[in-house]
Amino acid sequence: MIQAETQIRFLLNGAEIALSDVRPDETLLDWLRLSRALRGTKEGCAEGDCGACTVLVGRPTPDGLVYEGVNACIRFLGSLHGCHVVTVEHLKGEGGALHPVQQAMVDFHGSQCGFCTPGFVMSLYAMWMQDPDPSEAAVEKALQGNLCRCTGYEPIVKAARAISSYGTLEEDFLAAERTAVAERLAAIRAGGRVEVGTGKDRFVLPASVDDLAAVLEAEPMATIVAGSTDVGLWVTKFMRDIAPVVFIGHLGDLKTISERDGVLTIGAGVSYTDAFETLSRRIPAMGPLIDRIGGAQVRNMGTIGGNIANGSPIGDMPPPLIALGASVTLRKGGARRTIALEDFFVAYGKQDRQPGEFVEAVHVPVPSAETQFAAWKVTKRRDEDITAVLGAFTLSIEDGVVRAARIAYGGMAATPKRAKGVEAALVGQPWTLETVEAAMDVYPSDFQPISDMRASAEYRMLAARNLLKRFFLVHGGAEMPVTVSRERAA
Amino acid sequence: MNKHASPSLTAKTIVGGVASSQRHDSAHKHVTGQAVYIDDMPEPAGLLHAYLGLSTVPHAAIVSMDLSAVRAAPGVVDVLTGHDMPASNDISPTHRHDEPVLATDKVQFLGQPIFAVVAETREQARRACKLAKIEYAEEPFVTDILDLDRREGKLVTPPLTLKRGDAAAAIEAAPRRLKGTMQLGGQDHFYLEGHIAMAVPGEDMDVTLYSSTQHPSEVQHMVAQVLGVPSHAVTVEIRRMGGGFGGKETQGNQFAAIAAVAAKRHGRAVKIRPDRDDDMTATGKRHDFVIDYDVGFDDEGAILGVDYFFAARAGFSADLSGAVTDRALFHCDNTYYYPAVKAQSAPLYTNTVSNTAFRGFGGPQGIVGCERVIDEVAFALGKDPLEIRKRNFYGTTDRNVTPYHQTVEDNIIHRIVEELETGADYAGRRKAIAAFNAGSPVLKRGLALTPVKFGISFTATHFNQAGALVHVYADGSVHLNHGGTEMGQGLYVKIAQVVAEEFQIDIDQVKITATTTAKVPNTSATAASSGTDLNGMAAQAAARTIRQRLTDFAAEKYQVPTDQVVFLPNRVRVGNQEIAFGALTQQAYMARVQLSATGFYKTPKIHWDRDKGQGTPFYYFAYGAACAEVEIDTLTGETMVERVDILHETGRSLNKAIDIGQIEGGFIQGMGWLTTEELVWDGKGRLRTHAPSTYKIPLASDRPKIFNVTLADWPEAGEPTIHRSKAVGEPPFCLGIAVFHAISDAVASAADHRICPRLDAPATPERVLMAVERLKREAGA
C-alpha cells in the first residue's frame, strides 16, 4: 500500500493550513471560531438550517475552481483537504473598502441585529459569482438556506439585485487570486490517500474509488461521509461517535454523471447542485423538486447517493427515483451488485447494504416522450423544509388508457414506498377522473402513515390522495393552473 | 462611522440628525463580521463553560439525583444544583417565587433545567450532562389547555376582567348573536443568536456579566438575589443582541445566574450558551390562546355587545403571563367600539415551559380574537368583512371609549384604511378575485384588509421611566449611554440621532456605547415598543442640560444674551462669531464647566387601576393597516402570498429607513406566526419543534410576491413624544394578521362564502386543507 499522507491541508483565506491533529468529527465552524478566532462566522442552529455559519468552499472541478456556500457547522474539518475556505473576514473591496456585496447590504439596510448577516453576505457572494445579474427568483433560491428574523428579507433581496452596481466580477479579489489558488490546491491534491488520527479516531480520504473499497473492507463499520448534511447532525445534535470516518466527497470518480441508452448513471458523490443541470434538463420535473431540498448550502454538500444510502423515509430523492424505475449499484471490495432502488429500503432504519459495502451509483431511466412523470413535495414551509408527503408518479397513457404506472411516496411509510394497490387500480383503466377517484380510495391499503410534528396521519393520507388527483389534472388537460407558484406573477 | 472625518463647519444641516434615514450604526460591522456578540468576545484566561442538564419528563417529583458520573466526566470542574445557589434559588421575575434557577424537588416541564455542569470546554460540559442518572416519580401532566377546564383550571397568576356596560344584556337583546371558539398557536422567538451569558468574577462580592438580555437591570437584580449580594456588586453589560423580540426580556436571567454562581465559586470567568435545541426547549415562547367569544350585533353588522374569554397556555410559572394576558384584553377591541363588553383572561398552568414576552406581548392575540369576531359577523350577514370593520371603527369624538375606559383621542384609522383601500384597489381586486375563483376549481384566491391600533406604554406604569448619561469630552466628541438595549431594532442609532440633533453635531461625533447597569441604573426592559420613546427623551434631557450649560457659558464669556447663542451644524454662533463646537467645548472645559449630565424621563398622564380594570394605561396609540392577497391550493392546502400593501404610521418618523425595516420585518414575523410557525408537543410532553429543521420561520421566498410598504407621511404624535415620533416595534407585527384573513377568505370560497371558515392558527397547509374539506362537507350537507 502507498504510504498515506497524514495531514489535512487546505487554504484558509490567504493562508495555507496543514493539520496533523484533526478529530474525525471536528466541525469547520468550531475550528474557525475556537482554534482560529475567526468569529465573524456564527453558530445559529448547528444543523445546517439557518445559514449563519455560511462560508465559501472553493474546490477544483473539471470545469475549474468552483466556490460554493456551505454550512460550516456541519462540515467536517477533514473534508476540506485540497479546498479553499473563504470566510467573511477575507472579503474585501477596492483599497480596503467594503466588498460590493457588503456595501449593497449596508446601503439597502439589509441588516438589523446583524447575527445572520455574515452568512447572508457569503451566500450572496456565492450567488453573485455565478450570477451577477440575478432575478428575484434567483436571489430567493440563493437564500433558501439563510434565515433572517429581523428584516423580513425585503432589503436583502433588493441589495442582492444591486451588487453589480458596486463592482464587477472581473475586479473581484477572488478572481484575481483564482489562478494562484488553483495552483496551490493542485499542489495539495497529490492524489494519494490522506489519513489523520490514530486507532479508531481516524479521518480517511481514500485516494480513489478502488481505495475506498479497500478502506471499507478493512473498516466495515466506518461512517461513510459524503455531504455530511445528515451525519453532521449525528455529531452536533446527538453527540454520536462516528469514528472512523471515511470521506468520499473529494472522489472525482464518484462525481460523474453519464447517460447511456436512456439511462442516467449518477455517481454516489454527485451533489444536488451538480446533478441539477442534467436532471432538470433530462427529467424536467426533477428541477423544481431539487430546488426544494434544503438550501443552496445543503444542496452544495448533500449528495443523491447519500440521500439514498441514508435510508430515511422522508428523503426526497428515493420516491421520484423509484417511480422512474431507478436501480442502485452497491460495491464491496471488487464485487458489485445492482438492485432495484425500491428493494434497497428494507425497513425503517434498515437498508440492503452489508458492512463494508457502499453505494457507488444510481441508474435512472429517462422517461420516454410518451411517459408522464411528476413529483411533488408537500411541506409546512415551501422551501428548505423536510417532507410531510412527497408523491412521485410515472404513468404511460396510450389511447386514453393507463398502460403502466409506477407511483412512490415519501413520508407515508417507514420507508420510501410504492403505491402498488393504487398502481393496480389505474393500470388498464381509462385515464378519467372516475378511474382516479376510484384509485384514490385504494390508498389506505397501501399506506398507514403516522402523525408527527410535520403532519397528521389524516392530512398525509388526504394530501397523498389529492396529489394523484393533481397529477390527473396536470396531465389530463386542466385549463387552469392547479399548483400555487412562486414564479407566476401575482 | 468607520472613518472619522472632520465635521463640516459650513454645512446647512448636520449629518444624521432626526428625521434622516441614517443606516444602522453597526451596519458595516454586521456585513464584515466585526460586530461583536457575546460569544465573539475575547475570552478571559481560564474561562470555564457551563451547560444545563434538563429534565426528561414533564411533571415529576425528583426522587434521587446521581451526578457522580457527570462529576467524573473528562474536563468537568463542578456540577451545580439548585442547592448550590448561595442565597436564593429563585428567579421569578414577578416575585411569585415560582421559578427556580435549577429545579430541586420537582420538575414541571420536560426540558426544565435541573443541574449545570461546569467544565473546561463547552463540549465537555455538554457531553457530561448526558451522564446524569435522575430518578423521577412521575405525576399526571397537561400540556394543552384544550385538555383543561378553561374556566376552572389552575392559574399561574391572577386573571383580569375588563367590563364596560352590561355585555350579557346587550348580547341577549341584540337582533343577532353567535358564539365560537378559536385556537391560536404560540411562537418561538427564533432570535438568530441564542441565549448566552459570560460572568467575570471581580474583587470582593463583585461580578460582571455580559448577558444577551433586553433587561440588564433585571439580570442585575436576579443575579444579586441569587448570590445574596447588593445590586452594586453586579454589573450587567450588553452591546448588542442577535435578536430579542421579547425572548430576552426575562429568559436570560437563568443563564446569567448560573454563570455568575459558577464564576464566584471558582474565581474564573464562566460562559454558558445552550445549543439551539436546548434554547428552544428550555426557554419560553409566545403564549398560545384558546379564545371563546359570544357576540350580539344588528342586521347592519354593528356590534352591540361582546364577551371574550382569553385562555392562555402560561406554562409552569407566572413569568410575564399576567401582563401578557392583560395586554391581550387591552387589544380585544383593536380599532372597534363595543357599546358593551366583557373580557376575561385565564393564564393557565400547564406542564410546559413558562411562556413569556414576544413582540406584541399578548396584543396580537387580542387582535386576532377580535378580528375573528368581525369575520363571524360578516359571514352571518353575507357582507364583506371590510364593511363590518369600517362600520364598527371607533369614532373620533364619540363611540371612543375602550373596554378599559380610556378614551381614544388620536384615532386616525378611518383615513389610514381609506387610503389603503383606495391605494390597493380593494374593491377592484375583490371583483377580480371572485371572477378568478369562479373559473379556477383547484386554486382559490383570497383578499383581506385588516387594521391595527396598538397601545403604547408599559401597562405596569412604573416601567415607563428611563435614564441616560451623556458626556461631552473637551474635544467636542460625545459619549452616549442610556438604559435601552440594541437587539437590531435600531434604537442606538435613533437615540444618537436625537443627541446629534440637540448638539447640532454630525452623528459620527456621537459615540454609541454598550448598555450597562454601571452607567444608568434601575432601567426598564427594552420592550413594549417603548425603547425610543423613553430613552430618546432621557437622552434628549441629558443633552439639553449640557447644551444649556454651554449656552450659559458662551453667553457669559462673550457677553451676549443667551438667545444669541445658537447651535448651528457643528458650530455655535455666539453673537456675531461662529465657534466650532469642539472649540467651544474646549473653552468650557478650561472654564471648568461640567460637560457630563444624566437625563431622566417618565411618561406623563398614564395610570392604571388593575383591580377596577379602569385607567389610562396607554400614552397614545399607533395605527396601521395591511391588505393581503393570497392563493391557496384546495388539494394540498399550500398557500402563496401574492401581494401585500401596508400603510403604517410612526408619527413624525425619526428614521424612515429604520421604521420601514421594523414594519417589513414585523409584518413577516407576524405572518410567520399565523402560517408556517407551529409548536407541537407530543403525548409525552416533549416539544417536537425545537430547531429550524422542525420549526419553520419565513424565508425570503415566503415574502409577498408584491410588497408595497408605505409610511404615512401625514400623522404626527398627538402627545409631545420625542420629536413627535411614534413607537414602531410591535404594532406592525399585527399587520401579518391580514395574511391569515386572506387565507381564511380563500378557504371560504370552497363554500361560496356562505360559511365562516373558523380557521385556526397557524394556517399550515394541513389546517387550510382540513378547513376546506370541512367547508365542503358543511356546504354539501
Side-chain angles (χ1 to χ4, degrees), chain A residues 230 233-241, chain B residues 126-127 130:
Chain A
D230 193 41
L233 276 71
W234 301 359
V235 172
T236 62
K237 295 298 168 182
F238 310 117
M239 293 181 278
R240 224 194 273 175
D241 184 1
Chain B
R126 189 175 170 209
R127 285 182 182 273
K130 302 289 174 201

Side-chain angles (χ1 to χ4, degrees), chain B residues 331-347:
Chain B
H331 288 79
C332 76
D333 58 340
N334 195 18
T335 52
Y336 311 113
Y337 175 67
Y338 299 140
V341 55
K342 181 180 178 193
Q344 296 167 269
S345 69

